[in-house]
Amino acid sequence: MFVPVPALIVVGCVFLLLVMLVLRRSRPRDPLLGGQPPAPRVTRPALTTSATGDVEQQIRARLAAGRKIDAIKLAREAYGLGLSEAKDLVDSIESQTAR
C-alpha cells in the first residue's frame, strides 16, 4: 500500500493542530490577553443586628488589646470587605471608643 508523502504531512499537521487546540483550552488564559474575565466575587449574606453587635464587640476587644491588624482581619472576614474598607471601619470604631 502506497501513501504519498504530502498526504502524510497534511494528516500530521492536522493532528498537531488538534492537539495544540486541546492543550490550549485546558490551561487558564490571561484576561488581559483576551481570556475570559475572572469569576465574580461571591458576596456574603448580610449579618443580623445581633451578629453585627457581636462582631463589633470582638473588634473593640482586639483594639483594646492593641491588635489592630487582627481587628481588620476580623472585619474583612465578617463583613466581606476589602482591605481599605475594613481599615476605615476599624478606624471609625477606634475613634468612637477613644471618646
Side-chain angles (χ1 to χ4, degrees):
M1 180 167 132
F2 174 73
V3 179
V5 174
L8 288 176
I9 292 173
V10 169
V11 170
C13 289
V14 169
F15 178 74
L16 286 177
L17 286 173
L18 290 174
V19 169
M20 286 176 34
L21 285 175
V22 168
L23 291 176
R24 187 172 184 189
R25 287 185 184 251
S26 66
R27 69 177 168 197
R29 294 177 61 192
D30 186 9
L32 296 176
L33 298 176
Q36 300 220 350
R41 269 181 79 179
V42 177
T43 57
R44 296 177 188 219
L47 296 173
T48 61
T49 54
S50 62
T52 302
D54 186 39
V55 170
E56 285 187 23
Q57 288 176 354
Q58 291 177 4
I59 290 173
R60 290 178 203 274
R62 290 181 182 171
L63 286 172
R67 299 186 304 163
K68 188 172 184 178
I69 294 174
D70 290 337
I72 293 171
K73 287 180 184 178
L74 176 66
R76 288 189 73 190
E77 292 172 3
Y79 298 115
L81 300 174
L83 182 61
S84 62
E85 292 90 1
K87 183 184 177 299
D88 292 340
L89 175 68
V90 169
D91 286 341
S92 67
I93 292 173
E94 187 176 33
S95 67
Q96 290 174 359
T97 57
R99 289 183 205 174

